[in-house]
Amino acid sequence: MAATGFLLAFGLRFGYPHYLLNRFPKDWVEIYERERLAFGDPVASWVISQTHAIRWSELKAPDPRNVMRRAAQHGLVYGATFVSQYDRRRSFLSVARADREITDHEMQMLDGMLDRWTRAYSETATSLTAEELAALDLIGQGAKQSEAAAQLNISLSSLKNRLESAQRKLGARNTINAIAIAVRRELI
């Protein structure tokens, strides 16, 4: 369905995703990033302000930087973008082809897939327990481990176990990294 490439992003916040997989042609990606074409891209504008799905040919936003024409020169002639939101977490998928429009059936299928993926991502991102989140939050606010343990009325070893468990679930290198991930995902 995405013969020319795709871009998949999860956890969009302030214009930046938590996870991004870009499989559009490398030469186009280099131009897009170097010239910062996101500023003025009608697809990017639509992603920020809408949900559900749209074919690129149906976009009504202005294209002052000729992003769509330039993308077509790299094989991104026909495409569609899908935006899903679950529990305050936005995700999007853009697919492209050079030979034909995305069919109605493909639109429905891709929209449904993104909805399922967004839900799964959101549920995974919030799999931390309330106790783990409280521990991260206190340390993130500057409390020492002994102070956080006292505020939570638990032993220091229990606090360390909560922090280690949160780090493992978030795929973090250390407590500071876990706090940064939790903040970025709006968990604390």
Side-chain angles (χ1 to χ4, degrees):
M1 288 182 278
T4 307
F6 68 91
L7 188 143
L8 176 64
F10 293 106
L12 188 66
R13 183 172 182 222
F14 302 120
Y16 297 97
H18 170 254
Y19 175 82
L20 176 75
L21 179 60
N22 190 339
R23 293 293 187 250
F24 284 140
K26 286 187 179 191
D27 54 341
W28 170 243
V29 172
E30 289 172 7
I31 292 167
Y32 191 90
E33 290 176 355
R34 183 179 60 244
E35 297 183 25
R36 296 188 171 132
L37 293 176
F39 300 104
D41 180 353
V43 174
S45 298
W46 193 87
V47 164
I48 291 168
S49 63
Q50 303 295 321
T51 56
H52 299 298
I54 191 166
R55 286 183 184 89
W56 294 349
S57 60
E58 299 167 349
L59 287 168
K60 302 292 186 227
D63 187 3
R65 300 183 71 189
N66 294 311
V67 175
M68 301 309 288
R69 182 186 54 78
R70 294 176 71 188
Q73 295 170 350
H74 296 272
L76 289 84
V77 180
Y78 303 99
T81 297
F82 308 83
V83 178
S84 182
Q85 183 166 334
Y86 178 76
D87 193 28
R88 295 184 350 191
R89 286 172 174 68
R90 292 172 67 85
S91 301
F92 73 93
L93 169 67
S94 281
V95 299
R97 315 185 52 94
D99 58 343
R100 64 170 174 79
E101 285 280 11
I102 309 298
T103 68
D104 288 346
H105 175 71
E106 291 168 335
M107 293 286 290
Q108 289 175 343
M109 189 166 65
L110 290 167
D111 195 32
M113 288 169 57
L114 182 62
D115 280 342
R116 287 189 299 280
W117 295 339
T118 301
R119 181 178 291 270
Y121 167 79
S122 294
E123 289 170 356
T124 299
T126 58
S127 66
L128 297 179
T129 66
E131 292 81 9
E132 292 164 343
L133 291 170
L136 286 174
D137 189 40
L138 285 171
I139 300 298
Q141 291 178 39
K144 294 178 183 171
Q145 288 187 352
S146 58
E147 295 168 341
Q151 286 184 22
L152 295 170
N153 201 26
I154 59 173
S155 68
L156 184 57
S157 64
S158 292
L159 177 82
K160 288 179 180 181
N161 287 337
R162 289 177 185 184
L163 293 172
E164 288 172 9
S165 177
Q167 289 171 36
R168 204 172 32 259
K169 288 178 180 178
L170 294 170
R173 296 179 306 275
N174 54 42
T175 300
I176 300 302
N177 185 226
I179 291 166
I181 292 168
V183 167
R184 189 172 60 236
R185 292 186 186 176
E186 298 181 340
L187 301 175
I188 58 173

